[in-house]
């Protein structure tokens, strides 16, 4: 895993923006895996600011996950999030942007359909990931199978608490989600993880230095050959090998050594 530690959150986000922009410019028909959450908001703001200079008309996207029980027009759905944060501002073709349907009549069928759609697209070229404080990626909560595919997951109370800030009242925070599985994520050709803030420090330590374990789902990324983790100082605070990691990739500069 290539770990880049930046002095500030803004610099980590700038690097994530550069990696996505470079991917789209070098391969205008690429397939991106996209993430939601508070961490991604400043990143999507950077991409929005590129306006017409970033041609997304032939880009295909697959989001990681969606809450169960709320449909695409619900203001707290990830469909609404993506429209607001990104899709409505750049020239994405709506027929090429994909997010699971959280109020599908048959949710298991929807999860299987989504998994097939990812595979039929030819696979994800670059998967963007955030990380939960409990180490989840997508909504693959602790103890998710490392071999999992897109499916229904029950959210932990920690995740429901963390995401309650996006809802009017804790009671209405969804209890279930449809999420790409860990294996679905590991199938991406390349992964970029963005983690900022002290709440992510423990999860980042487990992702980078911990044992590969379903208890910390992000640790499964150690099995992937091409992962770049972009951390700010706060998210990197618990790394025991921090000094070494900073020597290998000083101040986030790209050095061609692994
Ligand atoms: C959410 C999403 C994840 C996201 C994570 C972190 O619930 N399902 O894809 O990476 O939790 O969210 P945040 O950036 O708001 O901390």
């Amino acid at each position: 895993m290539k770990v880049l530690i930046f002095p500030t959150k803004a610099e980590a986000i700038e690097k994530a923006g550069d990696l996505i922009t470079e991917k789209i410019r070098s391969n205008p028909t690429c397939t991106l895996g996209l993430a939601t959450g508070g961490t991604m908001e400043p990143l999507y703001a950077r991409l929005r600011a590129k306006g017409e200079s970033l041609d997304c008309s032939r880009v295909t996207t697959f989001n990681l996950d969606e809450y169960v029980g709320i449909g695409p027009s619900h203001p707290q759905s990830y469909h609404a999030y993506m429209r607001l944060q990104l899709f409505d501002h750049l020239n994405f073709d709506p027929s090429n942007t994909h997010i699971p349907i959280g109020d599908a009549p048959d949710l298991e069928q929807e999860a299987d359909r989504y998994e097939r759609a990812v595979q039929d697209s030819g696979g994800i070229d670059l998967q963007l990931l955030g990380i939960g404080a409990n180490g989840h990626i997508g909504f693959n909560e602790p103890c998710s199978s490392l071999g999992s595919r897109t499916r229904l997951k029950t959210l932990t109370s920690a995740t429901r608490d963390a995401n309650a800030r996006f809802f009017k009242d804790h009671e209405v925070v969804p209890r279930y989600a449809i999420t790409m599985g860990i294996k679905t994520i590991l199938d991406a050709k390349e992964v970029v993880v963005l983690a900022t803030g002290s709440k992510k420090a423990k999860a980042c330590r487990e992702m980078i230095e911990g044992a590969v374990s379903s208890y910390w789902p992000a640790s499964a990324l150690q099995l992937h050959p091409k992962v770049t983790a972009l951390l700010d100082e706060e998210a990197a605070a618990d790394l025991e090998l921090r000094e070494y990691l900073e020597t290998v990739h000083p101040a986030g500069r790209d050095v061609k050594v692994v």
Side-chain angles (χ1 to χ4, degrees), residues 85 136 155 197 208:
Q85 298 291 334
H136 73 221
L155 302 181
I208 295 163

Side-chain angles (χ1 to χ4, degrees), residues 34-41 64-67 78 81 128-134 136-141 155 159 162-163 165-166 177 179 194 196 199-200:
L34 296 179
T36 49
T39 310
M40 300 302 153
E41 291 182 14
L64 283 164
D65 47 18
E66 179 58 288
Y67 292 115
Y78 285 159
Y81 172 105
L128 175 66
L129 289 180
I131 182 169
N134 65 0
H136 73 221
I137 47 175
F139 270 130
N140 292 285
E141 296 282 40
L155 302 181
T159 294
N163 288 1
R165 68 191 195 279
F166 297 112
T179 180
L194 175 62
T196 56
K199 285 186 186 152
K200 305 297 171 68

Side-chain angles (χ1 to χ4, degrees), residues 170-185:
H170 195 285
E171 258 315 289
V172 301
V173 181
R175 292 173 189 277
Y176 307 96
I178 297 180
T179 180
M180 280 187 198
I182 294 178
K183 187 70 173 74
T184 319
I185 292 169

